[in-house]
Amino acid sequence: MSGRGGSRRARPPPPPVIDFAEAGPGPSTEEREQQSNTSTRGTKCELKQLDGRYDHLGNYNVTDSAVNTIGEDAEVEPHAEYALVSTRVYGVDGLYQSTQLEIKSRFIKKALRKVIKYYPGQPVDTAQVILNDPPKPLFHYRKELEDYKHAKADEETKKHLELLFKFVDSVLKSQVERFKDLTKRGITAFSLVWMLFKPGDIVYTEKDGQPCCYMIAKCDVSRNFFGKSWHLTCVGTNYDGSKFGKTSEVLKIPQFEGTRDITSLNVFPLRFHSQESQVKARLLERGNRFFAMRGCQHMSYKGMAHVVTNRMKSGYDSDDCGMDGEYTYQSTAISGRIMVDAESFGRVNPGNRVRFDGTGVSCDCSVCRMTASPSAGEPDPESNLSGAAEEHTVTALSEKDTLLCPPFVFGFSLLNKKWCRFFLDYVKDVELNHKAFEQLIIAESHKQLVLAMVESHVEDDDSFDDIIQGKGKSLIILLHGAPGVGKTLTAESIADHTKRPLYTVSSGELGTHPADVEEKLTHVLDIATTWKAVVLLDEADVFLQQRSGSDVNRNALVSIFLRLLEYYEGILFLTSNRVEEFDLAFKSRIHVALHYPELSLTVRRQLWKDFLLRLPKETLDLNMEKDLDVLQHDVINGRQIKNACKTAAALARKRNEKLSIKHLETTLVTIREFEKDFARGAYHTVNGLS
């Protein structure tokens, strides 16, 4: 009703209800074009030239190069009948900037969709296909389009493709000719760099001295205060600890004058490498090792590695959002056993975790925009991984995905206590000493007791449990006695015997402030549980001392330690030299307590013999039994015996002599003098003398 006395308007019928389940999937872009192109849209096999300019009011207008089309019916698409529409774009200053090509011909669009399967940033499967200047897809896929024209195209399609080729020649002919001429000689110019990089091709670069391959996704020019550079968005394969996926990285080629060798560029197509087949074989072998490193792996390492520092990368503000920023890496020499574990690495260092394309950011702050992986666009048709990642159950990678694996894995140095990026070339299988436990010089009854408890715990044969589920399931073994008598060696040999990593931590690393101790010890026990590691808490006296009514800080430390041990489910070795000062609450929580007395004469003799026999036989000049009769009488511990053998061997090498008793005696003299000085200093301290 329009108003009083007005006429009644008929209401429009309601929209039809569509059952999408019955309707099925919608038509493809090609089908929609065929349905809508009953007219002559894009069928005129000609090129229409337009100009885009700014008027005196700052308004941007597109006009016919010959006739002004402003004022035409806005609902009618101008120049719809032309197969190609080229628009020359001019800036506010009136100077020419670039050319845009809109492809309206359905014949050309069909050919592009059939031929071009991967070209991020330049989609050809959309209803409106617009190519920027230069028309990179038409250059990179020229041969394939010509092959399509000769093999599969009908007469009308051939005519339209010929028109397309003429346009490409008109805008790129001089560049193409120069590119071909320079490429034959293995050189290129800065303006022609984009021609080298066809999306989907494999490119070569070196990262931290390691050869690497990526798949090129995009090549765009960038301008800043310092000049121009080519930014290459490259795609690689990576693993975040639970799944494989695609990651992106931007590699840069700075502006240069004249020409340069293609292989001197920071990154160049692998096909130009003089040893292409050898490089490919090496990287495929390394990629297979990368795939084998999934999950948690106990390995050995010797070489340079990248250690995560506590310095945040410049440009990050930790208060900008709740997300942790990325921290810098420092190159450090690492030697010893490591744990390869990308998942734990990412959990402890969230800013440095692996981020796959299309994942990882949820806000638009400066940090998230900075840390987001540059999207590589459409998925690679030759890859069996998606950009958003594949599940951990992937059983194999394609050859291309294997080639794109990084040169490093993420993990933790058990000796340095640092989270690192480890180069695969230096990662080796760990060599476990299966004879270490047999060679352990302690009472045989003690060895059998410890071994029985550990093996029972490892095999989960212990049916005893606390009334509260998940509580009291740890195995705690106390090793107490004098220094250098085999306490640490016991834990090390047990770890090797059970084929488990050993996570050693001292009281100094945990600190003395209750809050710090709780945080750090919780982290240690959590990581050890993940790795099924044997934990050795060395010099644990500060956490085991008897609580008192006056020392609140010590009471808090002991209480925290007791509480955390209650819910730990792994194997824990504690070493101490002052068992008489223990808090009573620990007595009931220790499953096995082993006392290590001072080394007897027989044990010292055996240790001297064991350490000397580890040296190369040709470097020794010893009357073993006679010399052992002399050496065994020095009352020193096992660590001192090992150091004496090591020092005497170095002295003999320095003199270019074989190791003899005289070198050992020289070393023992220094040990005896130190023991006298140490005893004298201890006496003065006890008696208050200076």
Side-chain angles (χ1 to χ4, degrees):
M1 186 78 67
S2 61
R4 180 170 299 185
S7 61
R8 183 184 297 272
R9 283 187 176 178
R11 293 184 179 179
V17 178
I18 301 176
D19 188 341
F20 289 98
E22 293 182 2
S28 65
T29 303
E30 185 175 341
E31 291 170 340
R32 288 196 302 271
E33 287 181 355
Q34 291 174 349
Q35 293 169 7
S36 62
N37 281 323
T38 54
S39 64
T40 59
R41 186 180 190 278
T43 58
K44 190 174 183 179
C45 191
E46 293 182 17
L47 169 72
K48 184 63 179 177
Q49 185 69 57
L50 304 177
D51 290 337
R53 299 177 183 271
Y54 290 90
D55 61 21
H56 67 285
L57 297 177
N59 299 315
Y60 183 76
N61 299 306
V62 177
T63 63
D64 191 302
S65 297
V67 181
N68 193 328
T69 58
I70 298 177
E72 291 184 359
D73 189 346
E75 294 184 1
V76 178
E77 181 184 355
H79 320 297
E81 71 276 13
Y82 288 94
L84 302 176
V85 176
S86 174
T87 304
R88 293 176 296 198
V89 179
Y90 294 83
V92 178
D93 54 6
L95 298 178
Y96 169 78
Q97 289 185 337
S98 63
T99 298
Q100 278 189 340
L101 176 68
E102 181 177 1
I103 299 174
K104 294 178 179 288
S105 166
R106 66 175 181 270
F107 306 105
I108 298 177
K109 288 180 181 180
K110 179 180 178 181
L112 295 178
R113 283 192 287 267
K114 294 291 185 181
V115 170
I116 301 176
K117 300 301 182 183
Y118 181 76
Y119 216 103
Q122 293 279 287
V124 296
D125 58 350
T126 54
Q128 187 179 35
V129 178
I130 298 178
L131 302 181
N132 295 318
D133 185 25
K136 297 176 185 177
L138 304 183
F139 167 77
H140 284 134
Y141 282 90
R142 175 67 177 264
K143 183 181 182 301
E144 291 85 346
L145 286 169
E146 288 184 342
D147 291 344
Y148 178 86
K149 186 192 79 168
H150 294 304
K152 299 181 180 180
D154 53 41
E155 290 304 316
E156 193 65 25
T157 300
K158 288 180 180 179
K159 289 168 54 180
H160 282 241
L161 287 175
E162 280 297 335
L163 176 68
L164 181 69
F165 296 153
K166 288 179 181 178
F167 171 81
V168 174
D169 290 340
S170 69
V171 296
L172 290 180
K173 185 176 182 180
S174 61
Q175 295 183 60
V176 171
E177 290 177 351
R178 188 180 183 215
F179 171 77
K180 290 180 178 179
D181 180 52
L182 295 179
T183 305
K184 288 178 183 178
R185 293 181 281 163
I187 58 179
T188 191
F190 180 78
S191 61
L192 305 177
V193 163
W194 68 268
M195 292 182 165
L196 291 169
F197 300 101
K198 179 181 179 180
D201 283 356
I202 302 299
V203 297
Y204 175 87
T205 187
E206 291 190 0
K207 191 171 185 179
D208 302 307
Q210 299 288 321
C212 298
C213 278
Y214 293 91
M215 183 187 71
I216 185 71
K218 290 191 291 185
C219 180
D220 300 311
V221 70
S222 176
R223 297 173 176 83
N224 57 28
F225 178 78
F226 300 101
K228 297 179 182 178
S229 62
W230 287 105
H231 284 204
L232 281 69
T233 303
C234 299
V235 178
T237 304
N238 218 320
Y239 177 70
D240 69 354
S242 62
K243 53 190 177 295
F244 288 89
K246 292 294 187 182
T247 57
S248 296
E249 185 169 345
V250 175
L251 306 179
K252 300 177 183 179
I253 299 178
Q255 188 172 13
F256 57 89
E257 299 295 330
T259 60
R260 283 183 57 178
D261 289 341
I262 293 173
T263 55
S264 71
L265 301 175
N266 296 346
V267 53
F268 59 88
L270 180 61
R271 65 181 182 275
F272 287 98
H273 201 291
S274 59
Q275 297 180 319
E276 178 185 359
S277 58
Q278 295 93 322
V279 169
K280 188 174 180 180
R282 177 185 174 185
L283 297 192
L284 285 173
E285 188 273 334
R286 191 181 69 189
N288 287 325
R289 282 191 284 124
F290 178 85
F291 183 76
M293 291 291 169
R294 59 194 185 278
C296 298
Q297 302 281 344
H298 186 203
M299 307 298 291
S300 179
Y301 192 86
K302 186 175 183 180
M304 300 303 293
H306 289 163
V307 176
V308 180
T309 70
N310 57 3
R311 298 187 302 275
M312 192 174 289
K313 278 191 174 181
S314 59
Y316 287 95
D317 181 0
S318 58
D319 295 328
D320 200 359
C321 70
M323 176 182 166
D324 291 307
E326 183 177 0
Y327 288 86
T328 60
Y329 291 96
Q330 181 177 342
S331 188
T332 306
I334 297 292
S335 181
R337 297 183 181 184
I338 64 172
M339 286 301 300
V340 177
D341 182 4
E343 185 172 16
S344 295
F345 178 95
R347 187 171 69 250
V348 177
N349 308 281
N352 296 66
R353 72 187 186 276
V354 174
R355 291 187 179 90
F356 297 118
D357 286 346
T359 64
V361 295
S362 58
C363 70
D364 196 42
C365 70
S366 62
V367 172
C368 290
R369 290 196 304 272
M370 189 181 305
T371 57
S373 294
S375 175
E378 304 96 89
D380 174 20
E382 297 181 33
S383 171
N384 62 354
L385 298 178
S386 66
E390 291 291 327
E391 292 303 318
H392 179 67
T393 52
V394 169
T395 56
L397 298 176
S398 70
E399 181 177 292
K400 190 172 185 179
D401 290 330
T402 303
L403 187 65
L404 305 183
C405 288
F408 49 75
V409 289
F410 296 99
F412 184 78
S413 170
L414 291 167
L415 178 62
N416 301 74
K417 309 296 191 304
K418 299 291 185 181
W419 292 98
C420 308
R421 288 195 311 203
F422 298 108
F423 292 107
L424 276 163
D425 286 349
Y426 307 131
V427 178
K428 309 295 180 186
D429 290 334
V430 66
E431 295 183 3
L432 299 173
N433 187 354
H434 297 289
K435 296 182 179 180
F437 189 75
E438 299 174 8
Q439 297 171 347
L440 191 61
I441 305 176
I442 61 174
E444 187 63 28
S445 59
H446 287 179
K447 290 172 65 174
Q448 295 303 319
L449 177 60
V450 172
L451 189 59
M453 292 295 294
V454 169
E455 289 181 344
S456 175
H457 188 276
V458 169
E459 297 169 3
D460 292 326
D461 286 341
D462 190 357
S463 59
F464 291 97
D465 196 4
D466 200 278
I467 297 175
I468 305 300
Q469 187 176 6
K471 182 179 178 183
K473 299 183 71 173
S474 61
L475 174 60
I476 302 176
I477 300 175
L478 173 67
L479 312 176
H480 62 99
V485 293
K487 299 190 298 295
T488 302
L489 181 60
T490 300
E492 293 172 343
S493 60
I494 283 292
D496 274 12
H497 182 80
T498 57
K499 301 179 181 180
R500 293 189 172 204
L502 178 67
Y503 193 148
T504 303
V505 60
S506 68
S507 57
E509 295 174 47
L510 297 176
T512 56
H513 192 277
D516 292 340
V517 170
E518 181 170 15
E519 179 182 355
K520 292 177 181 178
L521 186 57
T522 299
H523 170 71
V524 168
L525 298 181
D526 175 61
I527 291 294
T529 301
T530 300
W531 297 337
K532 297 183 179 179
V534 174
V535 178
L536 170 61
L537 181 53
D538 209 9
E539 301 172 352
D541 307 273
V542 66
F543 305 115
L544 307 178
Q545 290 181 4
Q546 178 68 46
R547 285 170 286 188
S548 66
S550 58
D551 196 335
V552 178
N553 193 71
R554 181 197 294 177
N555 294 347
L557 288 177
V558 174
S559 298
I560 289 170
F561 195 69
L562 284 168
R563 175 168 51 81
L564 292 178
L565 292 191
E566 283 287 351
Y567 292 95
Y568 178 55
E569 298 184 3
I571 301 172
L572 174 65
F573 282 88
L574 304 172
T575 68
S576 173
N577 299 327
R578 301 198 299 269
V579 68
E580 67 279 358
E581 299 178 8
F582 276 18
D583 191 274
L584 294 176
F586 279 108
K587 287 186 177 181
S588 61
R589 289 171 171 80
I590 295 172
H591 297 84
V592 179
L594 301 181
H595 175 59
Y596 288 72
E598 296 283 355
L599 301 181
S600 66
L601 188 76
T602 303
V603 172
R604 290 199 298 271
R605 182 187 183 92
Q606 185 62 45
L607 287 174
W608 276 110
K609 185 175 182 179
D610 288 345
F611 286 122
L612 289 172
L613 290 178
R614 292 181 187 178
L615 298 171
K617 188 176 181 180
E618 63 274 10
T619 65
L620 301 179
D621 183 19
L622 295 170
N623 186 336
M624 188 62 71
E625 295 304 319
K626 181 180 177 181
D627 293 339
L628 289 176
D629 289 340
V630 176
L631 297 172
Q632 67 184 2
H633 289 288
D634 276 273
V635 183
I636 55 179
N637 63 43
R639 191 174 291 112
Q640 290 172 309
I641 293 173
K642 181 183 73 173
N643 292 339
C645 292
K646 184 177 180 180
T647 304
L651 179 61
R653 283 195 302 271
K654 176 67 176 177
R655 296 177 178 177
N656 199 25
E657 300 171 345
K658 289 187 176 183
L659 177 64
S660 65
I661 188 66
K662 69 178 182 179
H663 302 109
L664 294 167
E665 280 288 356
T666 300
T667 304
L668 285 172
V669 167
T670 62
I671 294 177
R672 292 169 191 147
E673 290 175 352
F674 175 75
E675 290 292 334
K676 289 180 181 178
D677 292 341
F678 185 82
R680 188 183 302 115
Y683 173 80
H684 287 179
T685 300
V686 170
N687 293 278
L689 302 175
S690 59

